[in-house]
Amino acid sequence: MSIDEKAIQEHVRGIIEALGEDPDREGLRDTPRRVAKMYSEVFEGIQFTNAEIADMFNKTFEEGLEPVGENQDLVIVKDIDIFSYCEHHMALMYDMKVTVAYVPRGRIIGISKIARIADMVSKRLQLQERIGSDIAEIMEIITGSPDVAVLISGSHSCMSARGIKKSDAKTYTTTLRGRFKDDTVLQLRLK
């Protein structure tokens, strides 16, 4: 599915009018076009399924890393910056930091690909909880490892700029798959 910039322009113009503004005044004249272009960029991930994103970033290396007892190899990438838009209010989710960890099963993914996966998944109308689940699913597909963890912290403008207006509130989500669910040693290594 491709993003229909023409339809976005028409709808944004209608929103501007519904707000009581003049869409033909100088400051707003090009706003529908600019918003449509921005939406094409920030919602790029809508066009792809998790399986397609996995195909897009499926660059792994056969390294022979296998879990061995409690001293297993573990890959952790922390502080991946992302932003997204809440599907409930289309409000910005910002200051988001993602941590992705996995136990390699004979192959490892290029670490820049982990950041690219997080970025692409966030470019959808989303829930923070689903961002974690989507990243974990894609990591499982690419690495073949069922042992994946995704931790996310973020601020939500639907809480900070409207409604309750609590600007310092942060939301934390944790997605634990495979051995991360029950293995406290693995969980501690995430810290």
Side-chain angles (χ1 to χ4, degrees):
M1 164 178 72
S2 65
I3 294 174
D4 185 344
E5 288 190 26
K6 181 81 171 141
I8 293 170
Q9 289 181 44
E10 292 169 12
H11 291 290
V12 169
R13 182 178 173 85
I15 290 169
I16 292 169
E17 290 172 344
L19 290 171
E21 274 281 5
D22 175 6
D24 293 317
R25 77 171 168 85
E26 184 180 357
L28 292 174
R29 193 174 303 125
D30 288 331
T31 297
R33 181 190 54 77
R34 286 190 299 263
V35 171
K37 184 175 170 136
M38 178 188 79
Y39 278 8
S40 287
E41 180 182 332
V42 300
F43 295 124
E44 177 185 13
I46 289 173
Q47 301 174 87
F48 306 104
T49 66
N50 285 351
E52 289 169 331
I53 293 171
D55 284 342
M56 201 179 303
F57 300 117
N58 189 358
K59 178 62 178 169
T60 60
F61 305 94
E62 304 292 327
E63 291 296 323
L65 299 173
E66 296 295 334
V68 181
E70 291 182 13
N71 295 320
Q72 60 205 329
D73 293 309
L74 178 63
V75 177
I76 304 174
V77 179
K78 290 186 176 188
D79 296 328
I80 302 168
D81 291 314
I82 63 166
F83 68 90
S84 192
Y85 288 85
C86 161
E87 67 183 36
H88 296 142
H89 299 100
M90 292 183 71
L92 184 64
M93 295 186 288
Y94 60 97
D95 289 339
M96 299 182 84
K97 298 283 188 187
V98 178
T99 296
V100 178
Y102 73 101
V103 178
R105 299 287 176 154
R107 56 187 180 170
I108 57 174
I109 184 173
I111 58 173
S112 71
K113 301 301 184 253
I114 296 171
R116 291 179 189 279
I117 290 164
D119 189 57
M120 186 62 76
V121 164
S122 71
K123 291 182 176 183
R124 299 169 170 170
L125 289 172
Q126 275 286 22
L127 299 173
Q128 184 171 320
E129 300 88 340
R130 188 178 313 117
I131 292 171
S133 296
D134 288 348
I135 293 168
E137 179 182 327
I138 293 165
M139 288 295 295
E140 286 182 61
I141 292 168
I142 293 173
T143 66
S145 176
D147 306 318
V148 179
V150 181
L151 293 79
I152 305 173
S153 66
S155 298
H156 296 240
S157 63
C158 56
M159 261 186 76
S160 64
R162 59 158 302 279
I164 191 79
K165 295 184 182 165
K166 299 298 179 194
S167 60
D168 291 334
K170 285 266 200 200
T171 300
Y172 297 86
T173 55
T174 304
T175 304
L176 302 175
R177 302 270 173 95
R179 293 185 44 220
F180 280 101
K181 285 187 209 174
D182 301 311
D183 190 329
T184 55
V185 172
L186 276 179
Q187 291 171 8
L188 286 173
R189 291 178 68 190
L190 292 174
K191 307 245 184 246

